[in-house]
Amino acid sequence: MGGCVQLLLLALVVLKAASLTLAAVSERCAEELSRLREQEKLLKSKVLKQEILLHRLQLLNQPRPHKTAANQEPPPLSPDDDHTHKTAANQEPPPLSPDDDHTHKTAANQEPLPPDDHTQHRDCSQVFQSGSRSSGVYAVTPQGGSAAPVSVYCDMSDGGGWTLVQRRVDGTESFNRSWAEYRSGFGDSRSEFWVGNDNLHHLTAQGDYVLRIHLEDFEGNQRYAEYKNFTVANEEDQYRLAFGEFSGTAGDALSASYQPGVSAWASHQGMAFSTHDRDNDRYRGSCALEDQGGWWFNRCHSAHLNGVYHRGGPYSAATDDGVVWFPWRGWWYSLKTTVMKIRPSRFKMDADHDPNAVKRNVTPRP
Ligand SMILES: [Ca+2]
């Protein structure tokens, strides 16, 4: 009997020791795993940088097209400057399609539709709430802006109440525009346009706005990116960009948080706006000049929705100047469709228009 108790005690001691050893091993494994994960992240970041450098070297090896900026010597490779901005390319603007009627090209030429009543709507969410449920061009008057109404395109689908601030669909409009043109806006509200940085500031200064970006590639795939607390500062502050939490399916290009080390030079958070005639970026050259569009460049970008419209998607150029959303299709794919639209975060959808609303009065279960 005494032998049995001793055996039992021995077994218990062995079991306890084994479990302690297991706990220690599992702790060591967790540490090792987390260390390996960190290493993996760093290696991925290095691979990314190498890929960018490789692509750049390949481009430098290719014979230059005659329209490339003449006699520009590419600056030497530098670890601080590991982006793909080397030489200013002079891409020809995309040809205009003869089918398009551009008699009403500029936003200023748009005939604004009068609001339904005599009240002034601050944005498309108020137009929607006033009962207008058709997408189209409406007059809105942002608070704090000039008293004159601005014509904007209201998207009454996708829950409704969206004020469009940018759209690319076919490349008919050049987005390589001056500071003054980006300030006041350009293009056709029903087609391709930029709403204007002053308008962007006045609209987003009215309250808490959500920015939703819709993207489509030439294969018909669609993605979206959404940012809370989207604001654009005034002109004195170079229309500086700020945004909050990301959600969506396209990847967080604006903060470039997808790879460690990338956001330091590719994040657009807090960046001032730059155009070819106003360099506010953090690059020693001019991102807007090289990438041929106005944007909140850093050194230079992870997203550039105002880039050159390269038809067909994949493109080759001296810099990554396409219509780019890096975490989805990379720097060397130019997107087919982009839409940037804003709506107050407190906007309440009708149940009829809310795809997420719980439908009542559905067919009863059998
Ligand atoms: Ca610069």
Side-chain angles (χ1 to χ4, degrees), residues 194-216:
W194 182 254
V195 77
N197 287 343
D198 272 345
N199 291 329
L200 255 180
H201 166 65
H202 292 309
L203 282 164
T204 60
Q206 297 184 112
D208 190 0
Y209 276 80
V210 165
L211 167 69
R212 187 178 290 180
I213 298 171
H214 165 83
L215 304 171
E216 191 175 326

Side-chain angles (χ1 to χ4, degrees), residues 4-15:
C4 277
V5 171
Q6 276 179 344
L7 269 176
L8 265 174
L9 281 173
L10 186 64
L12 276 173
V13 168
V14 168
L15 274 173

Side-chain angles (χ1 to χ4, degrees), residues 279 281-286:
D279 177 2
D281 64 35
R282 297 177 62 230
Y283 171 53
R284 62 183 172 189
S286 164

Side-chain angles (χ1 to χ4, degrees), residues 3 6 49 53 77 89 98 118 138 177 215 280-281 317 337 355 359:
Q6 276 179 344
K49 282 184 184 177
L53 288 174
L77 293 172
H118 293 293
Y138 291 85
R177 303 289 192 121
L215 304 171
N280 293 318
D281 64 35
T337 304
K359 298 281 184 229

Side-chain angles (χ1 to χ4, degrees), residues 112-115 119-128 136-143 145-154 156 161-164 195 199 202-203 206 209 342:
L113 300 179
T119 55
Q120 290 185 333
H121 300 302
R122 291 165 51 172
D123 62 15
C124 292
S125 75
Q126 289 199 343
V127 175
F128 182 85
V137 179
Y138 291 85
V140 299
T141 310
Q143 282 183 343
S146 63
V150 182
S151 15
V152 293
Y153 190 91
C154 297
M156 301 311 193
W162 294 102
T163 305
L164 263 65
V195 77
N199 291 329
H202 292 309
L203 282 164
Q206 297 184 112
Y209 276 80
I342 61 171

